[in-house]
Amino acid sequence: MAQSFNAAELIADDKKYVWHHLTQHKVYEKSDPIIFVKGEGMRVTDINGKQYLDAVSGGVWTVNLGYGNETLCKAVSDQIKELCYFANGYGNIPTIRFSKKLIEKMPGLNRVYLSNSGSEANEKAFKIVRQISQLKHGGKKYKIIYRNRDYHGTTITTLSACGQEERKMQYGPFTPGFVEFPACSVYRSPYPAGTTNLGEKFALELEKVVQAEDPDTVGAVILEPITAGGGVIVPPDGYFETITEICKKYGLLLIIDEVVCGLGRTGKWFGYQHFNVKPDIVTMAKGVAAGYAPISCTVTTEEVFQDFIADPSDREGYFRDISTFGGCTSGPAAGYANLCYMEEHNVLDNVVKMGEYLLGGLKELEKKYEIIGDVRGKGLFCGLELVKDRATREPVSEAVAGAVVAECMKQGVIIGKTSRSFREFNNTICLAPALITTTVELDEILKALDNAFKVVKA
């Protein structure tokens, strides 16, 4: 049933009452916010009736199965009628079923801890590392190493592990014990052209930092399998194998942040499964329930879980953590339905096939336009790094990347970009269409980009 509303009144109320994410509201003195009122398949409609093709799955890579999926809608509706919530210190059927099915997709891992956002999932991982430091290492192995250009959340502590300087501005002082090591961008490699074993060389930068910090003080390293908001950076061959060796050598827990890549975005259930790596902790959020309910997970090996098993009289031996909305049953109900739907409709196969099609189309655009310095990605997660000069690889300004986004928006296609994350490298266009996409939608996206690059100059 269609909603009845007064568009002008709602726009005025939005301006008066709503504080939007990542927005300088000064712009609304001369313009109106875009307000979406309906979604169907891969298209959304704004309050004025204009329809857009969504090439970023809800703006932040979340609505992986598109809008109006009846299977997921029914799963959430049925569950909240049956039991909407109870604190997760107790059990419930959807959490049990979801956890079992999720673990079936993650060989080597065994325990699922629920919360409600990616930031929270990573906070749990950090707390696990810190508590194990106290339980097993006398408090010594507390430091956590993170990678430049990676992003792990918006809380003060997850920002402490953020490799994007503009996101951290004005929010310090940060939680101590977090240390950065270099990114693994092949396109912007600091090594001479023709250098072999780039993956190994990038990974050995981690060892340098561990040694400089004193291995006895370092407890873990956290990495995105593919750097997402930092520019869609796919690690080179050999990278994760060497990372794994370093973790074993120094007794580090390996945390993989799958908040963006998790649940099919790259063509496998998880991004890390493209690489020869066995994590100790995996975090996830966005695609877990495809945007139909809030849920995040911190998944661990049985070995990590067993570090918290002690006599019940030990007041310090268990994981003393809680997430209020980790008790909402709608999240795991939607997560379970999401997994089942993806299996039944061979969604991963579609991601692989459509991902190859999209990447091929972007490579053709690269041949046409000098502003495109690099095309990269995996599955339905692709990036185009824009440059002023291909020889020097000097990045375009953020305004230029923004102009490409705006030109596509005029055509009714929503794309993304690295946005106010770095001082100079906000120059990557990001594409993450729903995993159910067809060549029809991908051709529309490619056409919009083609038209935009005809207009926008470096």
Side-chain angles (χ1 to χ4, degrees):
M1 184 175 179
Q3 295 185 65
S4 176
F5 56 80
N6 181 307
E9 182 179 337
L10 283 170
I11 291 169
D13 286 347
D14 183 288
K15 288 184 174 184
K16 186 175 181 180
Y17 300 113
V18 178
W19 194 341
H20 289 284
H21 298 181
L22 296 173
T23 299
Q24 172 49 264
H25 279 247
K26 189 77 172 175
V27 301
Y28 295 145
E29 292 180 1
K30 296 181 179 180
S31 65
D32 292 335
I34 294 175
I35 300 171
F36 291 119
V37 298
K38 182 181 179 181
E40 185 175 0
M42 287 181 59
R43 299 179 191 275
V44 290
T45 304
D46 73 16
I47 201 165
N48 297 310
K50 181 175 180 179
Q51 191 175 80
Y52 301 82
L53 174 62
D54 177 8
V56 283
S57 297
V60 287
W61 316 326
T62 299
V63 189
N64 284 359
L65 296 185
Y67 301 91
N69 183 294
E70 292 184 3
T71 299
L72 271 69
C73 290
K74 186 175 188 303
V76 172
S77 176
D78 289 350
Q79 180 54 52
I80 59 179
K81 289 176 185 175
E82 187 75 16
L83 175 70
C84 64
Y85 176 92
F86 209 92
N88 214 21
Y90 298 84
N92 62 71
I93 291 173
T95 294
I96 296 165
R97 287 177 174 168
F98 166 70
S99 297
K100 179 181 179 181
K101 195 162 193 67
L102 180 65
I103 290 300
E104 289 173 356
K105 312 301 182 189
M106 307 179 75
L109 291 112
N110 205 50
R111 297 284 176 165
V112 181
Y113 190 96
L114 296 185
S115 46
N116 71 304
S117 73
S119 298
E120 197 175 350
N122 284 324
E123 286 270 2
K124 309 307 182 189
F126 296 162
K127 289 176 75 174
I128 287 169
V129 173
R130 290 287 171 89
Q131 194 170 349
I132 288 175
S133 167
Q134 295 291 330
L135 294 173
K136 294 182 65 178
H137 307 292
K140 292 179 67 177
K141 290 180 76 68
Y142 69 94
K143 294 178 184 175
I144 297 170
I145 312 296
Y146 64 93
R147 186 172 56 192
N148 177 257
R149 298 185 72 90
D150 280 8
Y151 176 76
H152 302 295
T154 192
T155 64
I156 295 297
T157 295
T158 52
L159 281 177
S160 304
C162 179
Q164 301 176 6
E165 63 268 20
E166 283 205 17
R167 290 190 181 274
K168 301 173 76 164
M169 291 189 310
Q170 302 175 334
Y171 296 122
F174 295 102
T175 306
F178 290 86
V179 185
E180 185 177 281
F181 82 106
C184 63
S185 172
V186 174
Y187 183 65
R188 298 202 172 274
S189 171
Y191 303 107
T195 299
T196 58
N197 300 324
L198 266 182
E200 180 181 353
K201 291 184 184 300
F202 277 123
L204 288 174
E205 295 294 331
L206 169 63
E207 185 168 39
K208 292 177 184 177
V209 173
V210 171
Q211 290 175 339
E213 290 295 320
D214 179 359
D216 289 340
T217 68
V218 180
V221 58
I222 183 167
L223 300 165
E224 292 183 271
I226 295 171
T227 298
V232 193
I233 300 170
V234 182
D237 292 343
Y239 182 78
F240 269 108
E241 289 84 349
T242 306
I243 291 288
T244 299
E245 292 172 5
I246 293 167
C247 288
K248 289 180 180 178
K249 181 177 179 179
Y250 296 102
L252 312 182
L253 293 174
L254 177 57
I255 307 167
I256 301 293
D257 178 344
E258 291 275 356
V259 170
V260 173
C261 294
L263 272 293
R265 171 58 55 192
T266 64
K268 291 185 180 291
W269 290 109
F270 295 94
Y272 76 85
Q273 292 172 345
H274 291 279
F275 312 108
N276 186 21
V277 59
K278 294 182 179 179
D280 300 287
I281 303 173
V282 176
T283 59
M284 65 194 76
K286 298 179 185 295
V288 173
Y292 283 78
I295 182 175
S296 67
C297 310
T298 306
V299 182
T300 75
T301 61
E302 186 66 17
E303 290 77 10
V304 168
F305 175 78
Q306 288 296 325
D307 284 339
F308 294 88
I309 302 301
D311 190 288
S313 64
D314 183 351
R315 300 175 67 88
E316 300 179 3
Y318 67 101
F319 189 43
R320 298 185 308 283
D321 182 89
I322 187 172
S323 170
T324 297
F325 291 105
C328 280
T329 59
S330 57
Y336 181 78
N338 183 36
L339 286 165
C340 292
Y341 186 95
M342 291 179 69
E343 286 179 336
E344 292 167 9
H345 293 82
N346 300 313
V347 170
L348 293 185
D349 291 343
N350 189 65
V351 173
V352 173
K353 184 178 178 180
M354 293 299 101
E356 291 173 353
Y357 186 90
L358 176 58
L359 202 60
L362 295 175
K363 290 285 188 183
E364 290 301 312
L365 290 178
E366 184 182 23
K367 294 175 184 177
K368 291 179 65 175
Y369 300 104
E370 290 289 319
I371 193 175
I372 302 175
D374 191 36
V375 172
R376 52 188 181 248
K378 194 173 284 291
L380 286 170
F381 191 35
C382 298
L384 296 81
E385 185 162 351
L386 308 184
V387 294
K388 293 181 180 179
D389 183 282
R390 280 189 175 178
T392 65
R393 301 188 179 182
E394 180 183 358
V396 300
S397 69
E398 183 175 341
V400 171
V404 175
V405 173
E407 286 295 327
C408 288
M409 197 77 170
K410 289 179 184 177
Q411 301 170 69
V413 176
I414 305 171
I415 65 171
K417 67 179 179 67
T418 46
S419 181
R420 298 198 174 183
S421 301
F422 306 100
R423 295 292 190 185
E424 59 176 341
F425 289 115
N426 296 311
N427 64 317
T428 300
I429 298 299
C430 302
L431 301 173
L435 311 187
I436 58 168
T437 191
T438 70
T439 57
V440 173
E441 292 87 11
L442 295 184
D443 283 341
E444 192 172 335
I445 294 166
L446 292 166
K447 181 180 178 181
L449 283 167
D450 194 357
N451 291 335
F453 287 126
K454 291 173 183 175
V455 175
V456 178
K457 307 302 178 185

